């Protein structure tokens, strides 16, 4: 069952490309709406490529998605949760940061046996 996209893929891809360019050049932070669109687009991409409901990925305050095949979670707090800040998530999605390096920063909360995105990233 394919996920329902809320972000237009062309617009989302442009926002993500703008973030990649800004991160590479070290320029000022992007406007919040562009950052939000880039995060939401990449979360949708992850959910499309790793369709499932066993892991919840949270990037507050911009978005959340469920992914990775496995047991379906239906009530309460999911047993497999990953939470991280937007800039770190986008760096992982872009491939400029590896999963192990992200965990080493201490800014990623990953709980549960399936809370590992190393096989799914980068998205580009």
């Amino acid at each position: 069952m394919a996920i329902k996209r809320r972000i237009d893929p062309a617009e989302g891809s442009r926002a993500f490309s703008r973030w990649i360019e800004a991160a590479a050049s070290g320029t000022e932070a992007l406007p919040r709406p562009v950052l939000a669109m880039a995060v939401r687009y990449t979360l949708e991409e992850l959910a499309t490529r790793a369709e499932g409901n066993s892991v919840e990925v949270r990037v507050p305050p911009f978005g959340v998605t469920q992914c990775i095949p496995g047991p379906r979670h239906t009530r309460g707090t999911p047993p497999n949760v990953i939470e991280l800040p937007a800039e770190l998530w986008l760096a992982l999605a872009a491939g400029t940061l590896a999963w192990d390096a992200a965990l080493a920063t201490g800014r990623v909360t990953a709980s549960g046996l399936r809370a590992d995105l190393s096989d799914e990233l980068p998205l580009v």
Side-chain angles (χ1 to χ4, degrees):
M1 182 173 155
I3 68 153
K4 180 179 178 183
R5 286 196 174 267
R6 298 174 190 263
I7 301 294
D8 174 25
E11 289 181 32
S13 181
R14 276 193 298 275
F16 188 39
S17 294
R18 283 185 61 190
W19 182 87
I20 291 171
E21 291 168 8
S25 66
T27 58
E28 289 186 30
L30 291 175
R32 185 176 170 93
V34 175
L35 182 62
M37 183 173 293
V39 168
R40 291 177 184 136
Y41 167 73
T42 52
L43 286 172
E44 286 182 358
E45 280 297 303
L46 174 65
T48 299
R49 295 176 187 196
E51 195 171 317
N53 293 45
S54 69
V55 177
E56 185 168 287
V57 180
R58 300 173 181 168
V59 184
F62 301 115
V64 62
T65 196
Q66 291 186 352
C67 58
I68 313 292
R72 181 176 176 86
H73 170 75
T74 56
R75 296 183 58 192
T77 302
N80 301 291
V81 176
I82 298 168
E83 188 168 321
L84 63 165
E87 296 290 333
L88 201 58
W89 164 248
L90 291 172
L92 284 166
T96 58
L97 183 66
W99 178 251
D100 291 337
L103 289 174
T105 67
R107 296 174 55 209
V108 177
T109 304
S111 63
L113 296 174
R114 296 175 185 269
D116 181 351
L117 296 178
S118 57
D119 290 340
E120 310 306 327
L121 298 171
L123 296 175
V124 294

